[in-house]
Amino acid sequence: MHTSSLQQNILAELDHELANTRKMLERVPFEKADFKPHSKSMSLWQLASHIVNLLAFKTLFVQANSRDFLDPNAPKPGPTPTSKEELLSRFDEYSTTLIESLQNSNDEKLTNHFQLHRGDQILMDRPKAAALRIMGLNHSIHHRGQLSVYLRLLDIPVPGFYGPSADEQGGV
């Protein structure tokens, strides 16, 4: 841990992971938007858009106490971006909103529970900080890993996140 503050630890981790995610998204070629490594896989563009839209979901964990998937008035992600520039712009916008929400929160608020449900069915009930880490950061990192495989299959150099990647060996 960076500090004893939940808020400060999440902000530090988020800062690192957002920078890594943006590096990955910058390499996504819009002209290959329909690429799928398998028929059951999301397309490249669906996956990249999902990673960006998860930022709004993380913000919801901070700002709200629950989310019902059956609520027709619940916030929904914006339309699918139609260019890499739009994808990156949305990423920057959602990242800024998430960081500002966390900065305006505190450790006490982050220990309050967030409940994710579908009508009466409870899908998740965790402290907000845990929801952010498990359903937010870990979920995004999982999909970013999938995206790295897509890039590798398309022969696009994969950036290193926790040290150099195979494409960055030798100081590239």
Side-chain angles (χ1 to χ4, degrees):
M1 285 196 153
H2 174 68
T3 172
S4 62
S5 167
L6 287 170
Q7 176 200 39
Q8 292 306 308
N9 282 321
I10 292 171
L11 281 166
E13 187 173 1
L14 191 62
D15 182 60
H16 177 77
E17 296 304 334
L18 288 174
N20 282 334
T21 300
R22 194 172 202 297
K23 277 197 303 190
M24 178 72 80
L25 293 170
E26 288 170 350
R27 297 185 184 198
V28 173
F30 184 69
E31 62 275 7
K32 302 278 187 181
D34 294 332
F35 173 77
K36 286 181 161 188
H38 188 275
S39 62
K40 293 181 183 178
S41 299
M42 285 188 260
S43 73
L44 175 66
W45 205 249
Q46 288 171 317
L47 181 57
S49 296
H50 181 61
I51 290 168
V52 171
N53 288 332
L54 283 173
L55 292 167
F57 206 56
K58 289 178 204 147
T59 301
L60 186 66
F61 292 153
V62 178
Q63 294 177 344
N65 294 320
S66 68
R67 166 69 156 87
D68 184 351
F69 283 126
L70 297 180
D71 180 356
N73 299 314
K76 305 270 189 285
T80 301
T82 58
S83 68
K84 185 192 297 192
E85 294 75 24
E86 189 178 335
L87 180 80
L88 293 173
S89 176
R90 182 176 298 172
F91 176 83
D92 293 340
E93 175 190 342
Y94 286 6
S95 295
T96 299
T97 301
L98 175 58
I99 291 166
E100 287 173 354
S101 293
L102 270 166
Q103 288 171 335
N104 292 326
S105 189
N106 59 46
D107 286 357
E108 183 180 346
K109 290 177 184 175
L110 291 172
T111 60
N112 293 335
H113 275 240
F114 180 88
Q115 194 173 78
L116 191 61
H117 53 102
R118 183 180 299 116
D120 293 334
Q121 179 187 16
I122 296 172
L123 305 172
M124 180 189 74
D125 186 355
R126 298 190 184 276
K128 290 180 177 211
L132 272 166
R133 303 265 341 273
I134 295 166
M135 286 298 293
L137 286 166
N138 295 353
H139 187 174
S140 293
I141 292 166
H142 157 74
H143 285 305
R144 191 178 69 201
Q146 289 178 309
L147 189 57
S148 73
V149 173
Y150 284 43
L151 295 183
R152 175 70 68 225
L153 292 171
L154 291 168
D155 203 27
I156 295 167
V158 176
F161 297 136
Y162 308 107
S165 72
D167 298 311
E168 294 175 334
Q169 298 297 320
V172 174

